[in-house]
Amino acid sequence: MNRTKFLAAGLAAATLGTSALHAAELNIVHGAVGKDQEVLRVALDRFEEETGHTVNIVSMPERTTDQFAQFRLWLSAESQDIDVYRLDVIWAPQLADHFVDLTEATADIIDQFVPAAVESQTVDGKLVALPMFLGAPALYYRSDLLEKYGKDMPETWTELTETASEIMQAEREAGNEDMWGYVYQGAAYEGLTCNAMEWIASNGGGQIVNADGEITVMNEKAVEALDLAASWVGNIAPPGILNYAEEDARGVFQSGNAVFMRNWNYAYALVNGEDSPIKDVVEVTTLPAGDSGETASILGGSHLAVAKYSQNQDEAIQLVRFLNNEESQRARAIESSRPPTLTALYEDAEIAEKQPFIPLWKPVIDGAISRPSAPTKGDYNEVSSEIWTAAHSVMSGEMDAESAVARLNAMLTRLKGDAW
Ligand code: GLC
């Protein structure tokens, strides 16, 4: 809290002879991409004005894997410095013990939230985090270029590979030497786990570890999917893709240098933003299908949890409720195209008008695949790390897909032991 506010709050409490007017200083930690931070600050300013509390944002690196490492350090040290954590959808089972059970504090509003989102944050009956926003990735594409070259929208990964390659080459011949066909998240981190699971699941290769904790990755469809992805690197995707996270992919696509991009929903507001060079020529659809004939999208999203070590738990709960109320979620959906967690907002006229993809995206979110964080319990981070390592080693040419899948199977089997 800054000094002036502290004095003012103290004075008010003294004058009224009550401690109920305690004004707290809270810290919220989140990993922002795109407009997240800007939109959060606006909501926090409203909260400060309404309540007299002060809220500081503690920013994290963009990659969720880096955030997790830092969060785990703070939490295991029982740090009192952070009151509210913005958690990735996958973390509740691993970090549950460190957070306040929000069941009672949200009993009056929880029915308004998308049930699957609530379920994803419930561990052994404890509500670890209140759902903030959801996500299911989209295939962003340059409709002007498809039209220019008379191409249909690719339905499968193989068609995407061909179309991306043809348009890229034609554009390069026409003088745009920086053009690429497809950008996505190829760095060795959680984002690659999501991409790899999508390639494999859509190809009929299953979910690597299924909902019952069985390891299912050892199959030909998984090998084929990784082989195809390896063929992209240096061909339709820049060699640097091996170190791309979300914002790297968006940077290339938004500056007009890629035909297709896989990204989360936050990118929609930005590629269509006033200052985006491609704002009138970009559209979104679901990711391509593989041999399964179906598309697969991974469920993403972030949710708000109150640390057990916070010295201001009541105020922190008040903040979590505020940031997830209708007004805050509507603003977030409109300003940063984050799909809401309140069911009613999928029928909200203002959101439908300003971010028309959001109501259309609800079925994609509902059908999204969960990463195996629930069945693998405390081991999810290691499981995911084995997945992204396997995918990365195939994409970088260090390993052939068959050996990488066999190694992944062995590593997961060892990790599993009797644990899950
Ligand atoms: C997005 C998703 C999150 C996922 C991450 C991977 O932030 O919301 O669930 O883990 O991307 O990079």
Side-chain angles (χ1 to χ4, degrees), residues 31 33 62-65 86 88-91 133-135 185 189-192 194 245-246 262 264 298-302 338 371 380:
V33 285
E62 175 200 335
R63 296 181 189 188
T64 193
T65 303
R86 196 187 96 177
D88 194 336
V89 59
I90 48 187
W91 293 337
F133 60 80
L134 295 167
Q185 296 73 40
Y189 79 118
E190 185 65 31
L192 177 55
C194 299
E246 281 77 6
R262 181 249 186 225
W264 302 96
I298 289 292
L299 180 67
S302 286
R338 291 294 201 180
R371 281 161 276 174
Y380 176 71

